[in-house]
Amino acid sequence: MSTRFLIGVALALFALFAAAQEKFPSRPITMIVPFPPGGVADLTGRPIAAAMEKVLKQPIAPVNRSGAGGKVGYAATANSKPDGYTILIALSSVSIFPEVDNIFNLKPAYTLDQLVPIALISADPTILVVHPSLPARNAKEFIALAKSRPNEIAFSSSGLYGTLHVAMEMVIQSARVKLRHVPFAGGGPAVAALLGGHVAALSSGPAAAVAHLRSGKLRALASWGDKRLAAMPELPTWKELGYKDVEFYIWAGLLAPRGTPDAAIKALREAARSAVQDSEFKQVMARLETPINYLDAPEFQKFWERDAERLVRTVRRVGKIDAKK
Amino acid sequence: MAETFQNLLLGFSVALQPSILVYAFVGCLIGTLVGMMPGLGPLAGISLLLPATFGLNPIIAIVLLSGVYYGAMYGGSTTSILMRIPGEAASVMTCVDGYAMTQNGRAGPALAIAAIGSFIAGTFGVIGLMLLAPTLAEFALRFGPPEYTALLLMGLFILAYMSGGSMLKTLAMAAFGLMLGMIGIDVMSGYTRFSHGLVELGDGVGIVPVAVGLFGVSEILLTAGAPTAPDVQRPKLRDLIPSREEFRLSAGPIARGSLLGFLIGIIPGSAHIISSFVSYGIERRLSKHPERFGQGAIEGVAGPESANNAAASGAFVPMMALGIPTSPVTAVMIAAIMVHGILPGPLLIQQQPELFWGFVASMYVGNVVLLILNLPMVGLFVNLLRIPYSYLYPCILCFCIVGTYSVSNSLMDVWILLAMGAIGYVLRKFGYDLAPVALGLVLAPMLELSLRQSLAMSAGDYAIFVTRPIAAVMFALGAALFVFSLKPLFGKGGDWRASVGLDSEQG
């Protein structure tokens, strides 16, 4: 054992010691984006990362780990080293996958208690949009039509057990109607199918539908929020219409793996709090027509629990799709 | 017409501003370089560059990204021709005859024809986009799942014309490709199939690692396993320019490829991938000497290369006219303009004339830039072949692995790449054609999804395929094609296969 080796060991120990004393963050942070570039998670994640960098004085690098509808990125974060240097920009779908794995008797790729909240960035209710050829002028007529023609009205979605499917399923279960489900691979193709009249209805994010509503190619009937949308005040909510348990949001929030040191969580929470006030960030979100709905970790935790409970209940009632149906 | 002309002038007044011109040039250059990286195609190129455009103005952003898109489309053909490595699914067919031409010492003409074909097809596509976008977009929307099913089935029939070898081997490879395409989460029932608990396989096996592995890595292994190293090529200047004969042979395929690619491109969805396969099948069918295909037929480069570039512009029709992201690439482009507060939608062309016409004009400019950029570079690229194989191939293998990994930061893709390289090596030793594997893998998930979506729409009634006019016509065409392709199995002598003597066991 040479002197040089001993000096090396001493230096390494010293570095370790110094690191333990260091303030968080002392090196760049990775933000896992579980969807490809250009999606909602990516478009929210990048600007919030840029705004948080200003506070934390360390770069936050968004890394797209897409696959299996987001599951790959969620699982990767949940199973990563909880040191505060890996965070996740998650969408509502994060709550759905573990339950779907349960339905198929698979070992879940991750569980919800492997993740802890940092901050909620945005939460937008979806809206019911229909093709203009559908003879329903409002949500009441839509439900009446669905009851008089069971299993005849078709709706598209971003995928089976995907967020847009689960939202529609809430209405199906609450209003006791039967609709035909035609899943597509992603929100874009689902909107295209509705525009082409191949399906009659879709629960869509407001931003994806607003241009088509303005041009009259689609019609909006109801919203999934607990209060009316600021941008579409004439649109009733399902709750107003008497469907109490129909409430759904496409939300985007920051999560970290459980076990992340409190000091790191605290620093990240503070960074997120000032980031949502950042003028550049506000400007980007306004352009995307996505209202900012900031909640700090404790309130976000409550919001998430309620939301996950609704989603899991709905998914459980959907269950396995019977091949013979 | 006069109005279009005026609008186009407006567009050029935007696109020819020096600052925008520079970005068009930079975009094409980056795109070409990205496309040349094995495994990195147009989608990876524009995805990686997207965040960099957030700070630019929307016109520059979209000009830059479309430059990258075009450039990568073209760059992919360069590696396909020189090294048999497809940058993306669309250039799989280029590998076959393009690389055969390289081995015959005709790499220069293959690259030049690819560049010229891409230019003509790209320009044709822009003209189509400019004149017909709103009309065509409405038509494209009428393509729902049943029509899509019919289209993809026709793609499947094309398989029969794709390969020169035994029909049995072609079908075996197609079946292998289709089976690979079954891996992953079943979109209609949520079941995870054949993933063996690997979350990364939920989306199935990606085409990029498979194509790069089957074609590129297997080629490297085959060369390494050859008893003597192949001679390093020393291309001479006069070998760089296509001969008059090669120009003559390419004219038809370029024209047909452009039209076909554009038509397939406007259809929402990822069907544009099949345009190059379909073009190859058609050219082979129409050729007086189909036996030349696979041995370095210039038509086999000209047709598919034109088709995939025309399809690239065709894909902008629904994006610009309706604002719907119908493919992953256009989804990224739409994100790029949404970040700037421009809502893509049916009113985009009226509300943002500078953006739309600037974009159209910049596509004309981009095509010219690409041609100027790439024709002189043919000489440079061809000289890559002078590098001795013992240096060149290890580098290429590294690039393959890095490129494949960086597409979605997935190590799984690297393993798929390596496994496919080994499988490709074995299959080629036994004389199997690999292009049908790629087509099968591309078709299987799309065909399955659209077939089952159609049945979900009709609650299980197969009549949906005959009661919808577009679907019915396409099915009739497909059936005719199918009967046509069965002919050689029954009637002797009429088939070109017999004259080549490759298919005797089918008799």
Side-chain angles (χ1 to χ4, degrees):
Chain A
M1 204 174 281
S2 69
T3 341
R4 201 177 280 176
F5 178 77
L6 282 175
I7 293 174
V9 170
L11 275 177
L13 280 174
F14 179 73
L16 210 68
F17 181 71
Q21 294 290 305
E22 234 160 11
K23 219 176 133 283
F24 176 88
S26 58
R27 55 188 171 88
I29 296 170
T30 304
M31 175 190 278
I32 294 189
V33 182
F35 295 88
V40 178
D42 191 65
L43 293 180
T44 313
R46 285 183 193 274
I48 193 81
M52 284 169 71
E53 276 177 10
K54 292 183 198 163
V55 186
L56 292 171
K57 309 271 185 272
Q58 281 288 345
I60 301 182
V63 174
N64 298 88
R65 287 286 304 269
S66 53
K71 197 169 158 186
V72 171
Y74 295 144
T77 316
N79 297 316
S80 69
K81 194 175 161 207
D83 54 5
Y85 292 98
T86 306
I87 56 174
L88 168 76
I89 176 91
L91 303 186
S92 356
S93 59
V94 71
S95 317
I96 298 177
F97 290 113
E99 185 54 32
V100 173
D101 280 341
N102 278 338
I103 289 177
F104 288 102
N105 297 322
L106 294 170
K107 186 178 163 289
Y110 67 94
T111 53
L112 289 190
D113 54 18
Q114 280 182 286
L115 295 163
V116 292
I118 298 171
L120 180 73
I121 307 300
S122 70
D124 224 8
T126 54
I127 55 174
L128 176 67
V129 285
V130 298
H131 193 258
S133 69
L134 194 79
R137 315 296 310 170
N138 54 46
K140 270 198 187 115
E141 287 181 26
F142 178 79
I143 295 293
L145 194 70
K147 284 203 165 145
S148 67
R149 287 155 52 179
N151 203 20
E152 275 186 37
I153 299 175
F155 71 98
S156 58
S157 81
S158 55
L160 189 73
Y161 306 118
T163 45
L164 301 183
H165 173 211
V166 175
M168 205 61 145
E169 223 25 88
M170 285 181 181
V171 174
I172 292 176
Q173 292 173 7
S174 179
R176 299 203 169 77
V177 291
K178 274 182 110 180
L179 301 175
R180 273 182 209 173
H181 179 209
V182 185
F184 283 79
V191 175
L194 179 63
L195 282 170
H198 307 294
V199 294
L202 168 69
S203 161
S204 164
V210 67
H212 305 293
L213 296 175
R214 281 183 199 154
S215 68
K217 304 255 181 206
L218 297 177
R219 209 161 54 216
L221 300 186
S223 117
W224 265 259
D226 69 334
K227 50 181 185 292
R228 295 191 174 199
L229 275 170
M232 302 173 195
E234 71 291 347
L235 209 59
T237 65
W238 288 111
K239 291 197 141 181
E240 282 173 47
L241 295 163
Y243 305 103
K244 292 277 176 261
D245 37 0
V246 175
E247 190 178 346
F248 180 83
Y249 303 90
I250 298 184
W251 56 258
L254 294 173
L255 305 177
R258 179 169 298 276
T260 303
D262 288 342
I265 294 278
K266 194 160 164 278
L268 289 166
R269 276 169 61 185
E270 268 155 30
R273 184 180 306 138
S274 25
V276 292
Q277 299 297 330
D278 184 84
S279 62
E280 239 171 85
F281 176 72
K282 281 181 170 171
Q283 205 184 342
V284 172
M285 295 300 275
R287 283 173 179 169
L288 293 171
E289 306 235 348
T290 308
I292 299 172
N293 262 308
Y294 168 76
L295 287 180
D296 193 15
E299 295 86 50
F300 178 27
Q301 175 77 43
K302 277 183 215 141
F303 171 87
W304 186 20
E305 274 166 14
R306 277 200 309 272
D307 189 66
E309 193 269 323
R310 279 192 297 265
L311 295 179
V312 166
R313 176 158 37 93
T314 310
V315 169
R316 206 169 280 164
R317 279 179 65 180
V318 175
K320 265 189 212 179
I321 302 299
D322 188 357
K324 272 177 266 173
K325 197 160 73 180
Chain B
M1 201 62 208
E3 197 190 347
T4 308
F5 188 68
Q6 249 182 8
N7 283 328
L8 193 61
L9 276 184
L10 166 76
F12 273 112
S13 73
V14 175
L16 290 179
Q17 287 166 19
S19 61
I20 294 191
L21 213 53
V22 167
Y23 278 101
F25 187 80
V26 170
C28 287
L29 186 66
I30 297 177
T32 309
L33 295 177
V34 166
M36 285 179 63
M37 280 286 286
L40 287 188
L43 180 60
I46 66 169
S47 304
L48 294 174
L49 208 65
L50 172 69
T53 66
F54 289 169
L56 304 168
N57 86 39
I59 295 178
I60 290 182
I62 202 153
V63 164
L64 182 67
L65 288 178
S66 55
V68 173
Y69 184 33
Y70 273 153
M73 279 294 210
Y74 176 76
S77 67
T78 307
T79 44
S80 304
I81 290 169
L82 293 179
M83 286 143 196
R84 210 173 188 268
I85 296 169
E88 28 104 31
S91 38
V92 163
M93 282 330 293
T94 314
C95 282
V96 178
D97 279 278
Y99 186 68
M101 283 183 72
T102 297
Q103 287 178 318
N104 300 342
R106 303 296 296 164
L111 287 173
I113 288 290
I116 295 167
S118 300
F119 169 72
I120 295 174
T123 308
F124 173 81
V126 185
I127 296 175
L129 173 68
M130 179 179 85
L131 297 178
L132 302 169
T135 331
L136 279 180
E138 291 295 328
F139 176 73
L141 274 185
R142 288 165 55 191
F143 264 78
E147 287 76 20
Y148 218 67
T149 312
L151 178 76
L152 294 171
L153 264 183
M154 279 170 70
L156 207 53
F157 293 137
I158 297 293
L159 269 172
Y161 299 122
M162 254 172 54
S163 140
S166 129
M167 181 68 102
L168 193 64
K169 282 184 168 174
T170 304
L171 292 181
M173 286 299 97
F176 176 53
L178 291 168
M179 278 157 64
L180 279 182
M182 291 288 112
I183 296 173
I185 295 171
D186 170 20
V187 188
M188 302 300 286
S189 74
Y191 278 94
T192 313
R193 299 185 296 205
F194 313 116
S195 76
H196 302 283
L198 299 166
V199 182
E200 288 87 348
L201 284 181
D203 274 346
V205 177
I207 177 70
V208 169
V210 172
V212 176
L214 280 181
F215 286 86
V217 176
S218 77
E219 179 66 25
I220 295 171
L221 291 176
L222 273 184
T223 311
T228 52
D231 290 334
V232 169
Q233 294 196 16
R234 298 187 195 290
K236 292 181 215 68
L237 188 62
R238 70 180 159 78
D239 289 335
L240 294 181
I241 304 154
S243 67
R244 186 168 296 186
E245 176 68 4
E246 281 164 331
F247 272 122
R248 194 184 62 76
L249 285 172
S250 306
I254 289 177
R256 283 187 291 270
S258 303
L259 186 64
L260 176 91
F262 185 71
L263 290 179
I264 294 184
I266 59 170
I267 298 168
S270 299
H272 61 268
I273 296 174
I274 71 169
S275 66
S276 57
F277 292 94
V278 174
S279 164
Y280 188 88
I282 289 179
E283 291 315 324
R284 165 162 219 163
R285 184 74 209 173
L286 291 178
S287 171
K288 290 194 185 73
H289 301 284
E291 70 281 1
R292 285 174 45 249
F293 277 71
Q295 315 298 321
I298 187 83
E299 303 96 304
V301 176
E305 270 307 304
S306 312
N308 85 41
N309 271 60
S313 355
F316 289 126
V317 168
M319 170 188 139
M320 277 296 172
L322 299 166
I324 8 179
T326 53
S327 66
V329 169
T330 47
V332 177
M333 304 276 269
I334 284 191
I337 55 176
M338 273 177 72
V339 173
H340 296 285
I342 295 170
L343 269 190
L347 305 177
L348 178 87
I349 298 180
Q350 289 141 45
Q351 287 173 349
Q352 303 278 343
E354 287 96 5
L355 181 81
F356 177 74
W357 292 101
F359 173 65
V360 166
S362 86
M363 294 217 289
Y364 283 110
V365 175
N367 273 304
V368 175
V369 168
L370 260 187
L371 194 68
I372 297 174
L373 196 66
N374 283 308
L375 275 185
M377 278 180 21
V378 166
L380 182 72
F381 291 149
V382 168
N383 276 310
L384 285 177
L385 297 173
R386 288 173 187 266
I387 304 171
Y389 289 104
S390 50
Y391 300 115
L392 184 63
Y393 277 1
C395 292
I396 294 180
L397 195 59
C398 286
F399 279 129
C400 284
I401 292 172
V402 171
T404 308
Y405 176 77
S406 59
V407 173
S408 51
N409 298 315
S410 159
L411 211 51
M412 180 61 69
D413 283 349
V414 176
W415 289 117
I416 294 173
L417 167 87
L418 297 176
M420 284 299 150
I423 293 173
Y425 172 77
V426 173
L427 289 175
R428 283 177 66 190
K429 278 278 184 194
F430 286 107
Y432 284 91
D433 226 330
L434 299 176
V437 182
L439 183 57
L441 174 63
V442 167
L443 281 180
M446 293 200 284
L447 182 59
E448 189 199 4
L449 179 63
S450 61
L451 174 68
R452 293 173 67 188
Q453 281 172 335
S454 311
L455 293 175
M457 281 168 63
S458 69
D461 187 356
Y462 281 88
I464 190 169
F465 295 113
V466 287
T467 50
R468 297 168 58 115
I470 302 178
V473 169
M474 287 173 68
F475 267 109
L477 264 172
L481 256 177
F482 183 63
V483 173
F484 214 49
S485 66
L486 281 182
K487 210 180 92 188
L489 292 179
F490 301 108
K492 273 190 187 175
D495 184 44
W496 52 266
R497 284 173 204 276
S499 63
V500 204
L502 279 169
D503 212 29
S504 47
E505 71 264 47
Q506 292 286 315

